[in-house]
Amino acid sequence: MRKILSLSFFFAVFASLCFAQSADVGIKVNFAGGDVTSVSAEKIVLLTKDGAIDVVLFEKTEYKRVPPDNPSLKAAIASNFAEIAIGDKILVTGMVSDDKKSIPAKAIYLITKSDISQKQAKEREEWRVRGVTGRVTALNQLTKEITVTTPGLMGSKTTILTPKSDASFLRYAPDSENFNEAAPSSFLEIAIGDSIRALGDKSADGANLKGEKIITGAFQTIGGTVTAVNLEKNEIVINDFQTKKDVTIVVKKTSLLKQFPAEMAQRMAMAQTMAAGGGGNVMRPPQGNQTTPQQNPQQNPNQMPGGGNRGGSFDEMLERFPNIAVGDLKVGEMIAISSSKAANMERVTAIKLVSGIEPFIKAQQQMMAAGGNRQSGGANSSFTIPGLDGGGLP
């Protein structure tokens, strides 16, 4: 009985591992889980959150392949060594050595990289078609209705979200928008101003949604001018353009750092200004490749970086932007970050950080000067940049 419970626990952990962006299982006394980085006839090198470990193979090592749609004991099917490749995720059972450098493999449970990618693509498409993303702007405690406002360059759209009786609720973890790190939650934890994603049945006009999966989080967007860069601590100090106060930004290994292409930022900021002022839309969000073969993708804001036909959300757009590092940032440069809302606004952890966003900040400053944004800034601010709204998909 103990053995069955132990294996069931392995798979509960393995299920969370398989679709996270990093190896979360680590190295324990009698199992290890993570990403395959090397494969040879004698051993597999496994990278876990606790470091690398050698998986020593034997003739009696048992191999099982776990379907990504059903990571359970009963669903596991026979596999073999030849199916394991670099980039796959595996869970290995056996007794870990005292120095945690090796584990003789009794059994290896495998979910391939291609299976994971296919499942993630399927889930993202389902969220795109059957989902809604935005910010909670109203709550009705009696009817359990949630008003979701989705900003866009063509103006905002409102959806009335009503949870189904068996709806599941999740809450993003602090300083994280990783869907796989979210914790169970409830309707009572939702607050006005929260970022929200919901999956369910949409009405024909898209104005209503019966939610079956609902995930929320308290995020904020902060922008300002860099006043100091500390490479040793991986920290940046900015002067918040709304509060006029200094904010120390902590950049972690999991923080996403991107550069917004200049012309794209200019045109999107202009579109935001026009929409806020009732002037209508002057451009559409990037929908694909509109360039000729002679054109440079960076010169066409209708094309996603990297070329090709690129549809999708602002989140996907941001993912394709050029990567940057803390060392690339200069004093005097304007940046913006997304972070969890915190009581201490003097020090925050960046979930996403984007440079090249001067047009957005200048547009917001102009609107504030004209009375278009009378809020105090910081956590209560309406300041937004496409792609920085918190909340990630599976």
Side-chain angles (χ1 to χ4, degrees):
M1 182 66 176
R2 174 175 290 183
K3 182 178 180 180
I4 294 175
L5 289 175
S6 297
L7 287 176
S8 298
F9 171 74
F10 289 158
F11 271 97
V13 177
F14 191 42
S16 66
L17 159 73
C18 292
F19 306 111
Q21 294 181 354
S22 60
D24 295 322
V25 172
I27 302 172
K28 306 302 179 183
V29 175
N30 55 359
F31 70 96
D35 300 318
V36 175
T37 60
S38 175
V39 181
S40 68
E42 295 79 24
K43 70 177 183 180
I44 296 169
V45 178
L46 188 63
L47 181 63
T48 80
K49 73 179 183 67
D50 299 321
I53 186 170
D54 290 342
V55 179
V56 183
L57 306 176
F58 300 93
E59 288 185 7
K60 293 185 178 180
T61 298
E62 184 180 10
Y63 298 90
K64 293 284 187 178
R65 184 167 177 170
V66 184
D69 291 326
N70 186 14
S72 68
L73 284 170
K74 293 181 180 179
I77 60 176
S79 182
N80 55 66
F81 170 77
E83 287 197 279
I84 300 175
I86 294 174
D88 292 344
K89 292 184 182 292
I90 63 173
L91 182 75
V92 184
T93 63
M95 293 302 298
V96 174
S97 62
D98 292 339
D99 61 3
K100 295 186 178 181
K101 296 297 183 181
S102 65
I103 176 172
K106 181 179 180 180
I108 295 178
Y109 298 93
L110 161 72
I111 293 186
T112 68
K113 183 179 179 180
S114 60
D115 280 347
I116 295 171
S117 296
Q118 290 175 18
K119 178 175 172 59
Q120 289 175 332
K122 181 179 177 181
E123 289 178 340
R124 286 178 181 271
E125 178 63 14
E126 184 180 24
W127 279 87
R128 187 187 68 81
V129 174
R130 302 184 60 233
V132 63
T133 301
R135 196 167 296 276
V136 177
T137 52
L139 288 167
N140 189 319
Q141 300 292 340
L142 294 178
T143 64
K144 296 295 189 290
E145 289 181 341
I146 305 166
T147 302
V148 180
T149 300
T150 304
L153 296 178
M154 294 179 288
S156 298
K157 177 183 177 182
T158 298
T159 304
I160 302 301
L161 166 63
T162 306
K164 295 182 179 180
S165 59
D166 59 347
S168 63
F169 293 86
L170 293 171
R171 188 82 174 171
Y172 289 108
D175 298 328
S176 171
E177 59 171 28
N178 188 336
F179 189 99
N180 300 283
E181 295 176 356
S185 183
S186 68
F187 178 87
L188 295 177
E189 283 197 79
I190 302 174
I192 293 175
D194 280 354
S195 294
I196 185 169
R197 290 185 187 269
L199 180 72
D201 300 325
K202 287 184 180 180
S203 60
D205 60 3
N208 294 275
L209 187 142
K210 301 294 184 182
E212 55 197 44
K213 293 181 181 179
I214 300 167
I215 180 167
T216 59
F219 300 102
Q220 62 190 346
T221 300
I222 303 172
T225 303
V226 176
T227 60
V229 178
N230 189 324
L231 292 178
E232 184 178 347
K233 293 184 177 180
N234 230 30
E235 294 180 356
I236 306 152
V237 179
I238 67 169
N239 185 258
D240 188 326
F241 82 97
Q242 292 175 294
T243 65
K244 309 303 181 185
K245 295 180 180 179
D246 285 347
V247 180
T248 298
I249 299 167
V250 180
V251 179
K252 294 187 174 182
K253 291 182 179 179
T254 55
S255 302
L256 181 71
L257 278 65
K258 293 288 183 176
Q259 169 74 36
F260 218 113
E263 188 174 346
M264 185 183 287
Q266 187 66 48
R267 293 191 63 179
M268 285 188 170
M270 185 185 302
Q272 279 188 343
T273 303
M274 293 292 288
N281 179 52
V282 296
M283 68 166 282
R284 293 180 179 273
Q287 295 294 325
N289 182 1
Q290 304 294 325
T291 65
T292 64
Q294 290 75 29
Q295 287 177 304
N296 183 339
Q298 293 285 346
Q299 296 175 343
N300 186 354
N302 289 328
Q303 181 184 3
M304 291 296 191
N309 290 323
R310 308 286 197 185
S313 67
F314 286 129
D315 293 332
E316 294 168 323
M317 174 193 72
L318 187 66
E319 287 284 347
R320 297 185 180 105
F321 286 170
N323 292 317
I324 59 172
V326 172
D328 296 325
L329 302 175
K330 309 299 181 187
V331 172
E333 184 176 1
M334 289 184 176
I335 65 171
I337 69 155
S338 65
S339 73
S340 295
K341 289 184 179 179
N344 180 12
M345 285 300 299
E346 295 180 355
R347 186 179 181 86
V348 298
T349 297
I351 297 174
K352 297 176 183 177
L353 183 153
V354 183
S355 63
I357 48 77
E358 288 86 349
F360 294 102
I361 291 183
K362 290 178 179 178
Q364 186 75 5
Q365 288 173 327
Q366 291 174 358
M367 286 189 287
M368 290 171 64
N373 180 5
R374 299 183 183 276
Q375 299 193 41
S376 60
N380 299 317
S381 172
S382 62
F383 172 57
T384 62
I385 289 179
L388 278 194
D389 283 341
L393 288 173

